Amino acid sequence: MLPDSKARETSVDPRKSVVVQAPAGSGKTSLLVERYLRLLETVEEPEQILAITFTNKAAAEMRERIVEYLNPSFNPKNRREVEIGKRISRVRGKVDGWGLLANPQRLLIRTIDSFNYYLVRQMPVASALGVVPSPDSSPEELYRNATRNVLELLRKDDEISADLECLLNWRDNRQQDVEDILAGLLGKRDQWLRVLGAENEVNRKRLEEGLTILIQDHLVEMESLLRSVCSEVGFEEKEILELIRYAANNLSSVSESSVLLSLKNQTNFPGARAENLQLWRGFCDFFLTKGRNVRFRRRVSKAQGFLPNTSEKERFTELLMRIESQGDLARLMDRSRNLPDPCYSDEEWRVLQAIIRVLKRAAAELVMVSGIENKIDFSGISLAALRALGDEEIGITDLSLYLDNQINHLLVDEFQDTSWIQLNLIERLTAGWYPGDGR
């Protein structure tokens, strides 16, 4: 018996809602297939089960494996498959009655993109698309056309003209730079449109609070790995800070840098707080090279505060040699040096406000361009799908009510918990579900 057999059995129990977290190659897809097969015992129609994957290959593989198991000629290869075969024999009548082997398309196994497109086609008016454009898997030209249409408003009698002028000044009048930035951000609008589109004026304090959280999350990750690596290579925090103080003291004699002055008195790692970001930048500079191919230094000199023929230089060089292969730590430390400050300067805020207003105009222009060219990107389809389902604020649509009545079980392969659109889609599909209702 496998050591995780109990967890596996729980994960395929159709009476329970579960999240399966496991490394690649551990059999998550097999569990998903087995759970699907068990669910067939509980439903009246196969369309009551919806399985969502994130690639066409995964969807095809899942459907193929389910059909293979359902085939009467299926030959089990191990004990687990023997048990699966016994369960399938209980639903053989259902399977034959549904005609699944002749019509495997009744197995609702879809990619997230194809399911979103299905939703949009069912409710073209509610999705705000009207005649639904064709999906475009290479939408970069759409982004460029929308961006160029907005840039044509520069120095025109339009409220966005001053913001475009601001962006050009920010990029030293390099219009191609502005176009590249805006087009790139349009391709990622599913990450920002939800926040920026809901307000006429963006709250500076709220954005700075978000920035602070991002900075602190990164610093927590970096400091944790730093402590782990230093312990692994035999260097204590106390000794490392003694070496940093030695170098900072030497450098502060020729520089009045506030960071160096602070590091002169530092007795431990700065701590994972946004207000310590400047200290971390100075700290990381002692360890890392500059330029494009950043890595740990192989040697230090007077330029870094380590005088020749000293025990401090010898010991710090030994530390660098021992951590030389720790590429993940080097990347995290380098990112710390390049993180933005947690608070915007007034000039930065002025530019950011201009970017936000221009982006919102560009997003609206992209909808127009998509309609004219009869093409739409997958982000646009995803956003339209959410509108097609509706919510309590804008109203629940007939499509949402229909799906709530039809779908009793939802399986998601490789759930992307960093995508608010995917999370929102799952929330809307299950909004009417409650504990104990069998769904």
Side-chain angles (χ1 to χ4, degrees):
M1 180 178 290
L2 293 171
D4 61 351
S5 58
K6 185 176 181 180
R8 287 175 177 269
E9 186 62 32
T10 299
S11 69
V12 298
D13 186 341
R15 297 169 299 178
K16 299 177 180 178
S17 296
V18 296
V19 174
V20 177
Q21 293 178 297
S26 59
K28 294 190 296 295
T29 302
S30 295
L31 287 177
L32 199 66
V33 168
E34 186 174 348
R35 184 177 176 91
Y36 194 106
L37 292 168
R38 289 208 184 186
L39 287 172
L40 288 176
E41 299 179 39
T42 70
V43 297
E44 296 179 3
E45 300 292 339
E47 289 84 0
Q48 291 176 314
I49 308 169
L50 171 64
I52 295 176
T53 70
F54 290 91
T55 66
N56 289 318
K57 180 180 178 182
E61 179 185 348
M62 186 175 177
R63 181 178 287 105
E64 181 180 321
R65 290 173 68 175
I66 290 173
V67 170
E68 179 186 0
Y69 282 129
L70 294 177
N71 197 308
S73 62
F74 168 65
N75 183 28
K77 301 180 182 64
N78 53 52
R79 183 184 301 175
R80 192 78 182 172
E81 290 189 348
V82 169
E83 290 300 317
I84 292 174
K86 290 179 180 178
R87 287 189 167 275
I88 291 174
S89 65
R90 301 173 191 170
V91 295
R92 178 64 58 198
K94 276 187 173 183
V95 171
D96 292 342
W98 292 331
L100 286 183
L101 295 179
N103 299 290
Q105 66 271 19
R106 293 195 68 184
L107 302 172
L108 292 187
I109 303 171
R110 299 175 179 267
T111 65
I112 186 75
D113 291 327
S114 69
F115 182 65
N116 281 332
Y117 194 56
Y118 158 78
L119 296 177
V120 170
R121 285 188 290 113
Q122 299 305 307
M123 296 287 285
V125 176
S127 69
L129 289 182
V131 177
V132 182
S134 302
D136 189 351
S137 58
S138 300
E140 290 75 16
E141 194 62 27
L142 288 176
Y143 305 149
R144 292 283 175 186
N145 290 341
T147 299
R148 288 166 185 161
N149 288 351
V150 172
L151 287 173
E152 286 181 0
L153 299 174
L154 181 66
R155 301 184 183 91
K156 298 284 183 64
D157 184 19
D158 191 283
E159 59 183 0
I160 210 70
S161 178
D163 290 321
L164 291 170
E165 191 78 46
C166 175
L167 297 189
L168 275 179
N169 290 335
W170 169 54
R171 302 307 296 173
D172 297 324
N173 286 314
R174 295 192 298 269
Q175 185 164 323
Q176 189 61 50
D177 274 13
V178 177
E179 180 184 316
D180 291 344
I181 291 169
L182 295 175
L185 287 171
L186 279 180
K188 301 175 181 177
R189 69 193 183 285
D190 57 324
Q191 300 175 20
W192 52 260
L193 193 57
R194 173 182 62 130
V195 177
L196 304 186
E199 302 176 353
N200 292 325
E201 290 296 328
V202 178
N203 187 300
R204 178 173 180 172
K205 181 180 179 183
R206 192 174 72 162
L207 284 187
E208 290 178 339
E209 287 172 349
L211 198 55
T212 296
I213 291 171
L214 290 174
I215 292 169
Q216 291 184 167
D217 286 348
H218 172 80
L219 293 179
V220 166
E221 181 183 5
M222 184 201 68
E223 185 181 14
S224 175
L225 184 57
L226 175 64
R227 290 184 183 280
S228 175
V229 167
C230 289
S231 175
E232 182 181 319
V233 301
F235 272 77
E236 295 183 357
E237 178 180 1
K238 179 181 178 182
E239 181 182 7
I240 295 173
L241 267 298
E242 286 175 355
L243 295 172
I244 295 296
R245 287 199 304 273
Y246 164 82
N249 188 62
N250 289 332
L251 290 175
S252 64
S253 63
V254 295
S255 171
E256 295 183 357
S257 164
S258 59
V259 175
L260 289 174
L261 292 174
S262 297
L263 287 173
K264 277 176 58 177
N265 303 313
Q266 199 73 24
T267 57
N268 46 37
F269 294 146
R273 296 185 299 277
E275 59 264 29
N276 292 332
L277 179 59
Q278 197 67 11
L279 279 175
W280 277 115
R281 289 170 178 160
F283 179 90
C284 294
D285 273 339
F286 284 107
F287 289 83
L288 301 172
T289 60
K290 298 184 185 297
R292 295 184 63 182
N293 300 314
V294 174
R295 55 173 173 75
F296 285 117
R297 299 181 187 273
R298 294 196 173 99
R299 60 186 65 86
V300 287
S301 65
K302 186 177 179 180
Q304 287 79 47
F306 292 93
L307 303 182
N309 303 317
T310 59
S311 60
E312 288 83 2
K313 177 181 178 181
E314 181 180 340
R315 189 62 175 153
F316 196 77
T317 303
E318 175 69 18
L319 170 60
L320 292 173
M321 183 184 71
R322 293 189 188 183
I323 66 175
E324 182 180 9
S325 63
Q326 300 290 335
D328 287 343
L329 178 59
R331 283 186 286 273
L332 286 173
M333 293 178 75
D334 182 51
R335 189 181 175 205
S336 298
R337 296 192 300 181
N338 294 293
L339 286 173
D341 291 328
C343 296
Y344 300 107
S345 68
D346 289 342
E347 177 59 21
E348 288 172 334
W349 181 246
R350 189 172 72 87
V351 172
L352 182 57
Q353 284 185 304
I355 290 176
I356 290 170
R357 286 190 287 265
V358 172
L359 272 178
K360 290 168 73 171
R361 175 66 74 87
E365 185 64 30
L366 179 60
V367 175
M368 300 292 292
V369 170
S370 293
I372 293 171
E373 300 189 17
N374 195 33
K375 297 177 182 178
I376 188 170
D377 67 341
F378 289 119
S379 290
I381 293 173
S382 298
L383 292 165
L386 293 182
R387 292 193 296 269
L389 289 174
D391 57 24
E392 290 186 357
E393 184 176 337
I394 65 175
I396 304 298
T397 65
D398 290 341
L399 176 61
S400 184
L401 294 173
Y402 166 74
L403 292 175
D404 183 66
N405 184 58
Q406 175 180 313
I407 298 172
N408 287 346
H409 301 282
L410 179 62
L411 307 178
V412 185
D413 188 21
E414 301 291 345
F415 178 62
Q416 308 295 303
D417 60 355
T418 57
S419 169
W420 78 266
I421 284 187
Q422 292 174 16
L423 180 60
N424 207 292
L425 175 66
I426 302 303
E427 288 176 341
R428 295 193 188 194
L429 287 174
T430 60
W433 297 15
Y434 56 88
D437 69 353
R439 293 187 286 181

